[in-house]
Amino acid sequence: MNALIVRKLSLSLALAAALAAGSAQAALLTQASVSVLNSGGAGGSGASTTDMVFASYGSDGWGWAGGAGGVQGNAAVTNTGGASAPANEALKFNLGTTVDGLNAAYGAGHWTVDNIKLSFASSYNVQNNSRFGRGSGSFDIYWVGNDGWAQSKGTPTDKQLNPIYAADAATLAAWSGSQSLLASESFSLSGSGYVNLSYALPLDTLLVNDILTASAAGSNKATSLYLMGTSATLGMIIFTGGQGQALPTLSFDVVTAVPLPAASWLFAGGLFGLGRISHRKGLPR
């Protein structure tokens, strides 16, 4: 390995160390979580709500919010042995009051989020309800920018404020306005009884900013997620107040926001400068 390559590698390692030194000081302040409202019999009312949206209009209308929702394809099997109606699930978490409290406690701009998770209760058992299918399969979790939705039955020609049913990202984007694919997950029928599921979400810029800018008094009060089935066999129930199971919850660690110290940026700039000088002077290889 010649001297120039060694010098560049050393500069790169030094730069990485400088940046790491300036970004590894975040401290855990607290943990926060927000759950949807219990929609068992409430029709999905409230700022924190859910909606199971169907691919076609049926007896439930365009959307459904009872004691459970679900994500399912047309090959999932219902309790009667038939095929389920394809459906996706939208979740809206009212974070405004929580974020206002964190700003009051720690100061706006002095904290940020880490370890974001979506959790909910499901079941491996057949449900005594023909609207829910059962089966293993895959699904995607999206952050969506559209929070102006609510669950209502609607009509075939007037779906009101329900989210749309989308089978792909492009169709979802027509409704969401802005969106980001957070995770691609799978659900497997691997037992019996109830199961608590938890999915780690990345520190996506759109998701994080949506959380940090929430306020009960502002235009951004909530964060919405959209779970889209990506396989016909998927039949995953999501309890939203039924059978005494835990409600869907969005949780995260609250950590100190540590900007990169100016000294680190100056040091990094100096390292780049030295590298450029070495290159111009044509130091021996």
Side-chain angles (χ1 to χ4, degrees):
M1 185 180 294
N2 62 42
L4 180 58
I5 293 177
V6 172
R7 185 176 295 107
K8 288 184 176 179
L9 179 59
S10 298
L11 290 172
S12 297
L13 292 174
L15 174 59
L19 297 178
S23 60
Q25 301 172 18
L28 177 65
L29 298 172
T30 188
Q31 294 176 314
S33 64
V34 175
S35 300
V36 301
L37 296 180
N38 186 326
S39 60
S45 61
S48 292
T49 190
T50 65
D51 196 2
M52 183 180 181
V53 287
F54 296 93
S56 59
Y57 188 89
S59 60
D60 288 325
W62 185 251
W64 159 261
V71 185
Q72 57 196 34
N74 61 8
V77 180
T78 70
N79 65 326
T80 60
S84 64
N88 293 326
E89 186 79 11
L91 305 166
K92 181 162 58 174
F93 300 93
N94 185 6
L95 295 170
T97 300
T98 297
V99 173
D100 287 343
L102 293 171
N103 285 336
Y106 305 112
H110 294 284
W111 63 274
T112 188
V113 299
D114 198 7
N115 297 325
I116 308 173
K117 294 180 181 179
L118 170 67
S119 58
F120 52 84
S122 186
S123 175
Y124 296 129
N125 294 342
V126 174
Q127 300 301 305
N128 188 27
N129 188 320
S130 60
R131 70 169 53 85
F132 299 118
R134 176 176 178 267
S136 301
S138 57
F139 64 98
D140 288 340
I141 303 175
Y142 283 86
W143 169 86
V144 293
N146 187 346
D147 296 324
W149 58 271
Q151 192 282 331
S152 62
K153 186 170 183 178
T155 68
T157 56
D158 178 12
K159 300 178 178 68
Q160 300 182 31
L161 292 177
N162 293 75
I164 65 168
Y165 172 86
D168 54 60
T171 304
L172 181 63
W175 169 79
S176 70
S178 58
Q179 65 192 44
S180 184
L181 175 61
L182 301 177
S184 295
E185 304 289 352
S186 62
F187 173 76
S188 177
L189 293 176
S190 57
S192 61
Y194 300 110
V195 57
N196 292 316
L197 304 175
S198 181
Y199 301 97
L201 304 181
L203 295 179
D204 178 85
T205 301
L206 293 173
L207 171 61
V208 170
N209 184 66
D210 196 32
I211 295 173
L212 295 179
T213 58
S215 175
S219 58
N220 176 32
K221 296 178 174 62
T223 291
S224 293
L225 302 178
Y226 189 96
L227 278 59
M228 179 192 299
T230 54
S231 61
T233 56
L234 175 67
M236 179 180 69
I237 195 167
I238 299 173
F239 289 110
T240 58
Q243 301 185 30
Q245 297 303 301
L247 294 167
T249 299
L250 184 67
S251 62
F252 50 86
D253 290 346
V254 179
V255 299
T256 54
V258 183
L260 190 65
S264 294
W265 285 116
L266 290 173
F267 181 48
L271 290 174
F272 275 123
L274 288 174
R276 292 177 61 85
I277 291 171
S278 297
H279 179 72
R280 286 201 306 268
K281 286 187 176 181
L283 293 180
R285 302 186 175 208

